[in-house]
Amino acid sequence: MNPAAQTELRFEFGENWARYLAHLNQHRICHAEHALQNLVGDLRGRSFLDAGSGSGIHSLAAVRLGATRVHSFDLDAQSVSCTAELKRRYYPAADYWTVETGSVLNADYIRRLGRFDVVYSWGVLHHTGHLWKALEIAAEAVATGGLLVVAIYNDQGAWSRYWRRVKLVCNRTPAALRPLYAALVMAPVELRELAKAVLRLRFRQYFDRWTDHYSPRGMNRWHDIIDWVGGYPFEVAKPEEVFDFYRQRGLTLEKLTTSGGSKACNEFVFRRITLS
Ligand SMILES: C[S@@+](CC[C@H](N)C(=O)[O-])C[C@H]1O[C@@H](n2cnc3c(N)ncnc32)[C@H](O)[C@@H]1O
């Protein structure tokens, strides 16, 4: 068992999401929308389950892309508040968009929600403390012919063990000191990126990472760093392990974007061919 599951030590993602919302703008929302559309195609008239909705930006993107039932849930109360805040800001009257507290590890809860055309659980299941159980339960919510989107941290062996330790220490550090801790831990990574940019005469490319130009999936660099250094429990998987796991459960792989061997997430889109 993952040691985090024993200690119940858990990063409070919602605090970071609440700060991120102050930086949310149309530009980031459009990025999130394009990223989602690239993954799942046309969402018009489809149902969408956002399992571990975090800030809620991807639920918002699903609504904007025409999903006719959106259900967002998260374990963390502040993440739920962030998602609810986005609903209040942009679609207060959307009775087809539900936001609530829930856990992807609660099989009864997920079963009660029914099946969805798209189940989206990006960067969530590896933070539950029970990765394989979470992968199993999330897949059960996918309707026949529907899509499952998951992003799971890449298994880098010894490096992954190093990062788990870094995250554990972060979560044992007083909250006020965590930004400093994150900055120190990430300094070598950032300096390496800066050195690469200098050698390639691409300063602009490096500094753009700290502005609105950097917006993969609508995210923001500093909040990504806090999320990465703090994100605990932390589990990892090799792409082929996730592929095999779902193949045995009647899901076929439609798209895979690997992390290129880095510490980032491998992103999968599976289609459910048969009901389990
Ligand atoms: C890295 S964030 C990703 C948020 C969002 N999916 C995104 O792509 O931006 C991980 C989220 O998973 C949530 N989470 C962790 N364990 C969970 C669980 N058992 N059930 C539901 N959500 C969970 C956290 O509270 C956090 O908001």
Side-chain angles (χ1 to χ4, degrees):
M1 189 197 279
N2 178 346
Q6 290 164 358
T7 61
E8 294 298 331
L9 194 62
R10 178 166 293 286
F11 179 65
E12 288 176 359
F13 285 92
E15 259 181 55
N16 193 38
W17 290 129
R19 283 190 288 267
Y20 160 81
L21 284 200
H23 298 262
L24 188 64
N25 53 31
Q26 281 303 319
H27 176 72
R28 292 194 192 284
I29 294 172
C30 287
H31 271 256
E33 206 175 308
H34 286 137
L36 183 60
Q37 195 163 34
N38 280 339
L39 276 178
V40 302
D42 191 358
L43 267 178
R44 281 173 303 175
R46 301 171 81 190
S47 54
F48 183 89
L49 178 65
D50 195 356
S53 58
S55 67
I57 189 175
H58 308 288
S59 296
L60 174 64
V63 173
R64 284 168 56 111
L65 288 168
T68 43
R69 179 187 171 208
V70 175
H71 191 101
S72 323
F73 73 87
D74 200 290
L75 181 68
D76 180 300
Q78 255 188 292
S79 295
V80 176
S81 301
C82 289
T83 305
E85 165 62 15
L86 289 194
K87 179 174 188 264
R88 191 195 60 73
R89 264 190 221 173
Y90 297 100
Y91 289 92
D95 57 0
Y96 54 89
W97 181 4
T98 308
V99 182
E100 65 183 9
T101 304
S103 173
V104 72
L105 292 176
N106 184 341
D108 290 338
Y109 167 67
I110 300 295
R111 215 165 287 132
R112 277 199 302 277
L113 298 178
R115 305 250 179 188
F116 290 79
D117 297 320
V118 177
V119 173
Y120 182 85
S121 195
W122 210 104
V124 174
L125 308 178
H126 49 220
H127 289 311
T128 59
H130 300 274
L131 172 63
W132 299 99
K133 182 177 171 192
L135 283 165
E136 174 104 53
I137 296 173
E140 284 171 15
V142 184
T144 305
L147 297 176
L148 171 68
V149 179
V150 291
I152 308 294
Y153 280 131
N154 187 40
D155 186 349
Q156 288 189 298
W159 274 114
S160 299
R161 290 192 288 282
Y162 161 77
W163 282 112
R164 181 176 297 131
R165 191 86 205 143
V166 166
K167 289 158 176 274
L168 182 62
V169 173
C170 180
N171 282 274
R172 288 183 177 155
T173 299
L177 295 178
R178 284 185 201 156
L180 176 64
Y181 176 83
L184 290 174
V185 162
M186 292 304 285
V189 178
E190 289 302 320
L191 286 174
R192 200 174 56 228
E193 291 302 317
L194 182 59
K196 271 198 238 163
V198 169
L199 288 173
R200 292 174 189 159
L201 298 177
R202 293 202 177 135
F203 308 96
R204 176 90 189 268
Q205 205 174 317
Y206 175 80
F207 289 109
D208 277 354
R209 285 152 58 101
W210 293 93
T211 68
D212 267 355
H213 288 280
Y214 174 93
S215 177
R217 305 174 59 254
M219 294 297 116
N220 157 286
R221 181 89 189 125
W222 175 245
H223 296 92
D224 264 5
I225 285 180
I226 296 291
D227 187 285
W228 164 251
V229 177
Y232 193 85
F234 171 70
E235 287 177 88
V236 293
K238 294 191 170 75
E240 58 273 26
E241 289 172 332
V242 178
F243 170 74
D244 283 344
F245 181 85
Y246 278 139
R247 189 171 48 85
Q248 287 158 15
R249 287 160 178 80
L251 286 95
T252 58
L253 186 63
E254 292 230 326
K255 278 184 200 167
L256 169 61
T257 308
T258 67
S259 69
S262 79
K263 62 183 172 27
C265 286
N266 298 309
E267 183 183 65
F268 307 82
V269 181
F270 289 96
R271 191 177 292 280
R272 177 176 282 296
I273 304 301
T274 52
L275 271 190
S276 55

